[in-house]
Amino acid sequence: MAFHRFLSASLVSLCAATGAAVAQDAAPDTILVLDASGSMWGQIDGINKIVIAREVIANVMQDLPPSLELGLMAYGHNRRGDCSDIEMLIAPGPDTRGAIVDAVNAINPRGRTPMSDAVVAAAEAMRHTENEATVILVSDGIETCDADPCAVAASLETAGIGFTAHVIGFDVASEPAARAQMQCLAENTGGVFLTADTAEELAAALTQVAAAAPPPAPANVTVTAVLAPNGAPPVSPLSWTLSSNGVALLGPVAAPGFVVELPAGDYVVDVLRENQGTNHATAFSIRAGETREVVLELPALLTPVTFEARLDTVDGPLIEDPVLWSVGEISDTAGNPFATDLEAGAYSVEAYWTAAEQSQTSQIALLGSDPRTVVLVFETPLPSASLIAPETGVAGDTIEVAWQGPNANGDFIAAGDLGEDTYRTWETTAGGSPALLRLPSQPGMYELRYILADGRDVLARQTITVTPAVATLEAPETAIAGETIGVTWQGPDYAPDYIAVSEPGSTTHVNMTLTRNGSPLDLVMPVDPGQYELRYVMQQDREVIASRRIDVVAVSATLEAPETAIAGDTIPVTWTGPDYANDFISVAEPDDPRGYVNLRYTRDGAELGLVMPTEPGLYEIRYVLSQDRQVIAARMIEVTDVGASLDAPETAISGSTIDVVWSGPDYANDFISVANPDDPRGYVNYRYTRDGTPAAVQMPTDPGMYELRYVLNQDREIIATRRIEVTAVGASLSVPATAPAGSEIEITWTGPDYQNDFISVAEPEDDRGYINYTYTREGAPLMLRLPSTPGTYEVRYVVNQDRSIIASQEITVTPVTASLIVPAEAPAGATIDIEWTGPDYQNDFISVARLDDARGYVNYRYTREGSPAALLMPATPGTYEVRYVINSDRTTIAVGRITVTELPDVQFDAPRVATAGGTITMRHDGPDYGNDFVAFGLMGDDSGYDTYAYTRTGNPLTLRVPDTPGTYELRYYMRQSNQILGRQEITVE
C-alpha cells in the first residue's frame, strides 16, 4: 500500500540525510528507535501499526547505503506502565540488517511511550558528545513519561557533536500535541519531521521524499584576521585552527588567512598570535552553497568570565558544596562561582561537584571583552535511604521492613525479582517504619527496595531468600457427589487463603472454603462424579502449596407421585435423596433441562405438596441438586385441564357491587375479576374465591362492555369468562352561588353513595385533587368547609373507587375579614388581652409569632374562648406579630405588630447563708407569671437545679435548703422558657 512505500522511502531518505550532514567521508553512527508501546496495536486501513512497521523495516533494510552503521532500540515492549522500559536490541554496526529485521519481528507492544528518554539513551549509546550521531525515531503517540521532548532536544543539540534526530509521526493526524512534540524534537536537533496520516498525504509525502534534492554543496569560506578597531592586518605570524563542536577540522595552518569549502553548520575558528603567545577565536554559521568571508578581529583585552554551578536549572540555586573547575589550561580551581579572565577563543569547561561525585562539561567560544556568565546545571542528587529486614522469609508471609528515607508522598517499599525493574508486592512508607510487606508467593531470591514515588528511582536494596510455604491436607479418599466433607489442614492461613476442590489440570475451582473458618472445615463436593483434587490455595497469585486426589461417586434419588394431575392442583410427592441444603423437587417442561414451573425444597419433608402448572400437557417431576441445578431423578406426569363457571347479571350500574356465583378449583389466591376485554392480564376490580360464592365484585366507574373472569392465581391463567355491560350512574348537587371564605355550607346531593364516595371543593383546573371534603355517608344534606382564599372553586361528587367526578357545580368564595386591637408593647412572658373580631370558625386562633415565620407561632389562644383573648407573650424580647388565623388552612386574615420588652433583673431579699436541709424565707420582685419558680442551683452549673418553690405560693415564700453544703445560687426561673431572670449567691453550711 502507499503507506508502506512512504515509510520505506522516508527511512531511506533520512538515513541518507545523516550522511550529508557531516564533513567527514564516513557516515555517523545511526540508531533506529522504534515505538513499541501498546498503542502500536492500533490499525491503519485494517492492519495493526506494528505489523506495518515490521514489513516496512524489513523492506528498507535492503535499500540502505552500505557505509551506514545502523543499530536498533525499542521502548514499551517488555512491561506495562514502566517508563524505564527502553532497550538497545542491536548495537550500531556495518552488518546488522538481518538482525534488526529479526528483532523487529519479535517485538510485541505492551507498555508506555518514554519517547524523550529513548532518544537520550540512543544518543548516549553513540557517545554523541564525542562523535557525530543520528537517531531515527518512529512513534505513533505523545510522550507519556513526563519528559519534555523540546528541552531534551535542545540539551542534546547543545551537548552533542553533530547530533541529529529525524522523527516520523506515525498516524498522529488527530493528535496535535503529539505532532508538536515530535516536530520540536526534530527541529531542535536539525532533523527532519515527516508525518504519515491518510493515503493521499502519504502519496504526496512519498513524491516529495523521492524527489528530494541531492546533498547540499559545501560553502566557500574565506577567513582572515584584522586588528581592532582600525581593521589593519596583524604584524605578527598567525597560526589557524578550524573546529566544529570541539573537533578540529583544519589546522594548525600558518598564514594571514585561508580559504576552505565546508558543509552547512556551526564552526569556531581560532588564531594563534605566535609572537605574543595569545589565542583569539570567533564562531560563525554558514548555509549550504553560500560564499562567506569571515573576518576575525583580534581583541586587545581579555574576556572576564564567571563560571557558576547550579541545581536543576540555569536559574536554580548555587551549589554550596565544593566545586572543582577545569577551563582549558586552568584546572583544579575551587569555588562557586569561579571567575577568571580569558582570551578570545574556544574552551572546554568542566565542573566537578565533590559531594555528589558528579561532573558537567560545556563548550564555550569567547569574543571581545564583554563579560560572560557560564552556568553548568547539575541534577539534584537522589536522597539516601536504608533498609533492615530478615535475610529469609516464608512465601506469602508478611515481614517487617525497617526503613529510613525521604518518606515523600507515594514512596514505597517493594519486593521484586533480582535483575528486574518490576516488583511483585509493595507497601507505601506512609504507614511508618517498619513497613509490613507481604513476600512473593513463590520461593526464590528476591530484592527488597526503597523506591521513590515515580517508580523508577531505587534508593536502597537488600536481598532476601523466600522459602516455600508448607501445607498439608487430610480428607476421605472418596465422597458422594454434592456431599459436604470435613477437610483437616495445616498451612500458613494467610488472609484469605482457601481450601478448594478442582478438576485435575484446571486453574479454577469448583467449590472452596476460606481457611479462616478453621480446621477441619466443611467443603462441598462437585455434583459430577469423577476424580478431583483437593488443594490448599494461597490467595496471593492463586499459588497451590498442597494437594491430594479424591474420588467423587454418583449420588441417587427416587420420586413417587401420581401419573396424572389437574392443572393448578397440589399433588403429594414422596422422595428419597441426599437432601443437601437448598435441594428441591420441581415440576418442569421436559425440554427445559435447567428451568422449572414450580418447586418445593426437600428440607420441607420427605412428602411434599407440589403445585402443578396451569397449562395442560406432559411435564417432568425432578429431584434437583441446588449445586449446579443437577437433576438426579425424574418421572413424567400428565397435567389435565381444569374447569370453572360464572353466573352474574348481564348489566350493572357503574361503581355498583354485584354478586357473581362461581364454581371452580378455588386454589390459593384464585380470584374473580372484572376487566377490559382487550386486557388479557389485567383487571379493574377483583375478589378472592376464598371469600366464597357468590363473590361481591365492584363494577368499574366507566360505562362500557367488560368481562367477568375466573383467574388462577398461578400464572394468572383465565379458565372461565362472561360478558357484562356496565351502565352510567348519575348524581346531582345543590350548591349556593357564593359563600364566605372558610365558612361551612350545606350541600344537598343525590348519587350512588358508594363506600367512601365524597363531596369535595377543589380548584377547577385540578381534576384529581381537593381542598376540603365530606363523605356522602354523612347523609344529605351535608356540611362542607370552603377554602380560606377567595376565588372561584368547584363543588364535586367524587366516586372513591377511581376518583371519578360524576357531578360538579361552580361556587364563588368571597373574602372574609377580621380585626385586632394590639398594644404597642408588652413585657416578655406577660399575658395580655387581645380584642378581636372575625368569623370565629372552628379552631380559628389568635397567635403571636416571629416576623420571619409565616406559618408558625410562639403561643396562641382559640377564638372560641371569646374576645378578648388572653395571649401569652414570648419570653425573648423583640418585635412580633399578633395574627388572626383561620385554622382550616392556616390563612392569616388580620395582623398587628407588638414589641416585647426585656424584663429587669429580679432582685432577692434573702439570707446569704443557710443551713443544709433546713428552710429559708425570702422575698423577690419577679413578675410572678404562671408556674414561675425560685430554685437553689449549684454556682456555675446552669444545667439544672436542686430544690424549688413556685412563686404562686406567695411572696415571701418558703424554700427548702439542699442537703449538701456548698456554694449555691438562688435563681428566679420564668417557666415559659426556663429563662433565669435573677441570681443571688448563697452559702449552704
Side-chain angles (χ1 to χ4, degrees):
M1 59 171 66
F3 176 78
H4 293 61
R5 295 193 300 272
F6 162 74
L7 186 55
S8 176
S10 300
L11 286 171
V12 172
S13 299
L14 289 174
C15 292
T18 62
V22 295
Q24 293 87 344
D25 292 335
D29 287 352
T30 301
I31 291 179
L32 172 63
V33 178
L34 180 61
D35 183 346
S37 64
S39 58
M40 285 291 283
W41 285 116
Q43 295 185 345
I44 296 178
D45 295 335
I47 301 177
N48 298 115
K49 288 185 278 188
I50 185 61
V51 175
I52 296 172
R54 291 170 183 162
E55 180 179 341
V56 169
I57 291 172
N59 292 335
V60 80
M61 290 298 108
Q62 304 173 14
D63 301 323
L64 295 180
S67 61
L68 183 64
E69 295 195 358
L70 183 64
L72 174 67
M73 178 177 285
Y75 58 78
H77 59 297
N78 290 315
R79 298 174 294 277
R80 295 183 177 89
D82 188 352
C83 285
S84 65
D85 185 9
I86 301 169
E87 184 180 7
M88 176 72 78
L89 298 176
I90 306 296
D95 299 311
T96 60
R97 308 308 192 259
I100 289 174
V101 171
D102 293 340
V104 171
N105 287 338
I107 288 174
N108 283 307
R110 58 168 54 90
R112 302 185 71 179
T113 308
M115 179 169 62
S116 304
D117 287 351
V119 172
V120 171
E124 291 174 350
M126 293 183 287
R127 303 177 67 181
H128 69 292
T129 59
E130 302 173 16
N131 306 303
E132 293 190 13
T134 298
V135 167
I136 302 170
L137 170 65
V138 179
S139 178
D140 78 329
I142 197 167
E143 168 76 43
T144 62
C145 287
D146 297 327
D148 183 353
C150 289
V152 167
S155 175
L156 290 172
E157 182 67 10
T158 300
I161 299 176
F163 176 77
T164 305
H166 302 298
V167 183
I168 297 176
F170 190 4
D171 189 30
V172 293
S174 60
E175 297 183 61
R179 293 200 308 272
Q181 283 187 350
M182 296 175 185
Q183 186 169 359
C184 186
L185 183 60
E187 291 180 354
N188 281 7
T189 59
V192 176
F193 172 61
L194 301 172
T195 61
D197 299 325
T198 67
E200 292 78 9
E201 291 176 21
L202 298 180
L206 176 60
T207 302
Q208 175 185 342
V209 173
N220 188 280
V221 182
T222 301
V223 182
T224 57
V226 297
L227 290 175
N230 55 11
V235 294
S236 62
L238 303 177
S239 180
W240 296 91
T241 301
L242 179 67
S243 63
S244 173
N245 289 328
V247 177
L249 303 179
L250 179 68
V253 176
F258 62 89
V259 179
V260 66
E261 288 189 345
L262 294 173
D266 299 324
Y267 298 87
V268 174
V269 62
D270 180 271
V271 60
L272 170 67
R273 302 175 72 177
E274 294 180 356
N275 62 345
Q276 297 182 6
T278 60
N279 285 82
H280 306 278
T282 188
F284 62 93
S285 299
I286 57 173
R287 293 194 301 268
E290 72 174 342
T291 299
R292 179 78 184 275
E293 182 176 355
V294 177
V295 177
L296 181 66
E297 290 189 340
L298 304 182
L301 299 174
L302 297 176
T303 302
V305 185
T306 301
F307 296 95
E308 298 177 349
R310 294 185 177 271
L311 281 174
D312 296 329
T313 68
V314 294
D315 298 321
L318 282 169
I319 295 174
E320 297 180 357
D321 298 325
V323 177
L324 298 178
W325 295 91
S326 176
V327 184
E329 297 179 355
I330 304 172
S331 61
D332 294 337
T333 300
N336 188 30
F338 156 63
T340 186
D341 291 337
L342 294 174
E343 295 179 354
Y347 295 86
S348 174
V349 57
E350 178 181 12
Y352 179 74
W353 183 5
T354 307
E357 299 182 356
Q358 295 183 23
S359 63
Q360 294 286 343
T361 60
S362 179
Q363 305 295 324
I364 60 171
L366 300 178
L367 302 174
S369 58
D370 293 337
R372 278 279 299 277
T373 298
V374 178
V375 180
L376 272 66
V377 178
F378 288 79
E379 292 184 359
T380 301
L382 293 174
S384 62
S386 63
L387 297 173
I388 299 178
E391 294 182 356
T392 63
V394 179
D397 198 7
T398 298
I399 64 169
E400 289 189 351
V401 180
W403 57 267
Q404 289 184 334
N407 194 22
N409 185 27
D411 287 4
F412 57 98
I413 309 298
D417 295 328
L418 285 174
E420 297 288 341
D421 292 336
T422 57
Y423 47 87
R424 293 176 180 253
T425 62
W426 61 277
E427 185 64 42
T428 64
T429 61
S433 178
L436 298 177
L437 180 66
R438 192 168 193 179
L439 293 177
S441 62
Q442 297 177 349
M445 287 292 293
Y446 293 91
E447 190 174 66
L448 304 178
R449 302 167 186 154
Y450 187 112
I451 304 176
L452 289 181
D454 62 9
R456 291 183 290 179
D457 294 315
V458 179
L459 304 187
R461 304 172 187 266
Q462 177 186 319
T463 58
I464 186 170
T465 301
V466 175
T467 60
V470 178
T472 63
L473 297 170
E474 292 183 14
E477 294 184 357
T478 62
I480 299 172
E483 179 186 6
T484 298
I485 66 168
V487 179
T488 301
W489 60 269
Q490 289 183 336
D493 192 19
Y494 300 139
D497 288 0
Y498 57 91
I499 308 299
V501 57
S502 304
E503 295 180 358
S506 172
T507 59
T508 61
H509 60 260
V510 180
N511 294 313
M512 55 83 74
T513 303
L514 296 172
T515 59
R516 65 178 178 226
N517 292 325
S519 177
L521 51 73
D522 292 336
L523 183 63
V524 179
M525 293 296 99
V527 295
D528 292 324
Q531 279 207 335
Y532 290 88
E533 199 171 68
L534 300 178
R535 297 171 178 171
Y536 186 111
V537 184
M538 288 171 53
Q539 172 65 20
Q540 182 185 359
D541 300 330
R542 302 292 175 83
E543 190 75 13
V544 178
I545 61 173
S547 65
R548 63 171 291 160
R549 289 295 180 97
I550 187 168
D551 288 330
V552 175
V553 298
V555 63
S556 62
T558 65
L559 295 167
E560 291 185 13
E563 294 183 357
T564 64
I566 298 172
D569 196 9
T570 299
I571 65 166
V573 178
T574 303
W575 60 269
T576 64
D579 190 21
Y580 297 143
N582 295 323
D583 284 1
F584 57 90
I585 309 299
S586 71
V587 58
E589 295 180 356
D591 57 355
D592 185 359
R594 303 285 292 175
Y596 55 84
V597 179
N598 293 312
L599 66 84
R600 288 292 302 276
Y601 288 106
T602 59
R603 61 174 174 250
D604 294 334
E607 184 172 327
L608 301 171
L610 184 62
V611 178
M612 293 295 99
T614 58
E615 291 284 343
L618 280 174
Y619 291 87
E620 201 170 63
I621 297 176
R622 299 168 176 168
Y623 187 111
V624 184
L625 298 179
S626 175
Q627 183 186 174
D628 294 340
R629 297 291 177 85
Q630 188 86 1
V631 178
I632 61 172
R635 64 170 293 157
M636 300 298 291
I637 188 169
E638 182 179 3
V639 175
T640 60
D641 203 356
V642 63
S645 66
L646 298 170
D647 187 11
E650 294 184 355
T651 63
I653 299 172
S654 62
S656 65
T657 299
I658 66 168
D659 286 339
V660 180
V661 178
W662 60 268
S663 66
D666 191 20
Y667 296 144
N669 294 324
D670 285 0
F671 56 92
I672 309 300
S673 71
V674 58
N676 291 316
D678 54 357
D679 185 358
R681 303 288 291 174
Y683 53 83
V684 179
N685 293 313
Y686 69 93
R687 288 298 296 270
Y688 287 112
T689 59
R690 64 173 174 250
D691 295 333
T693 181
V697 180
Q698 189 176 23
M699 294 297 99
T701 57
D702 292 331
M705 291 299 296
Y706 290 87
E707 198 170 68
L708 296 173
R709 298 170 176 169
Y710 187 112
V711 184
L712 298 179
N713 181 62
Q714 183 189 174
D715 298 334
R716 296 294 173 85
E717 188 79 13
I718 300 169
I719 60 174
T721 65
R722 69 168 289 155
R723 290 294 181 101
I724 187 169
E725 181 179 4
V726 175
T727 60
V729 65
S732 67
L733 296 168
S734 178
V735 180
T738 63
S743 64
E744 277 194 330
I745 62 171
E746 185 177 270
I747 306 293
T748 302
W749 60 271
T750 64
D753 190 21
Y754 296 143
Q755 184 178 10
N756 291 329
D757 285 0
F758 56 91
I759 308 298
S760 70
V761 59
E763 295 181 352
E765 64 275 7
D766 186 356
D767 292 338
R768 302 290 292 175
Y770 53 81
I771 298 171
N772 294 315
Y773 69 91
T774 303
Y775 287 112
T776 59
R777 62 174 173 253
E778 300 295 331
L782 54 72
M783 302 303 294
L784 180 65
R785 184 169 296 278
L786 296 181
S788 301
T789 304
T792 300
Y793 295 88
E794 202 170 68
V795 177
R796 300 168 175 167
Y797 187 110
V798 183
V799 177
N800 180 66
Q801 180 185 168
D802 60 358
R803 298 296 173 86
S804 297
I805 300 169
I806 61 174
S808 65
Q809 186 172 325
E810 193 173 90
I811 186 171
T812 299
V813 174
T814 59
V816 66
T817 60
S819 66
L820 299 167
I821 299 177
V822 181
E825 62 181 35
T831 298
I832 64 171
D833 287 338
I834 305 294
E835 294 187 8
W836 59 268
T837 64
D840 191 20
Y841 297 144
Q842 183 179 7
N843 291 329
D844 285 1
F845 57 91
I846 310 298
S847 71
V848 59
R850 295 194 306 271
L851 299 180
D852 59 353
D853 188 358
R855 302 285 291 175
Y857 52 81
V858 180
N859 295 311
Y860 70 93
R861 293 302 292 268
Y862 286 113
T863 59
R864 63 173 174 251
E865 297 173 10
S867 176
L871 187 61
L872 180 64
M873 293 295 100
T876 304
T879 302
Y880 293 84
E881 268 184 357
V882 177
R883 301 168 178 166
Y884 186 109
V885 183
I886 296 177
N887 181 66
S888 62
D889 60 359
R890 297 294 175 87
T891 298
T892 299
I893 61 173
V895 175
R897 289 284 179 100
I898 188 168
T899 299
V900 175
T901 60
E902 188 170 4
L903 291 172
D905 290 343
V906 173
Q907 303 299 318
F908 294 99
D909 181 6
R912 297 287 179 172
V913 179
T915 302
T919 61
I920 63 168
T921 301
M922 49 86 65
R923 299 186 66 87
H924 64 85
D925 61 358
D928 192 19
Y929 295 146
N931 293 327
D932 285 2
F933 60 94
V934 176
F936 271 95
L938 281 172
M939 178 70 77
D941 182 6
D942 286 350
S943 62
Y945 50 83
D946 198 322
T947 61
Y948 69 94
Y950 288 109
T951 61
R952 65 173 177 254
T953 61
N955 194 3
L957 58 77
T958 299
L959 183 61
R960 190 172 70 82
V961 180
D963 296 330
T964 304
T967 302
Y968 289 83
E969 282 182 335
L970 287 175
R971 300 173 184 160
Y972 187 103
Y973 283 88
M974 183 165 63
R975 186 66 185 90
Q976 180 183 174
S977 61
N978 275 355
Q979 182 177 346
I980 300 174
L981 302 184
R983 304 171 187 264
Q984 177 188 305
E985 184 176 334
I986 184 169
T987 302
V988 175
E989 297 180 340

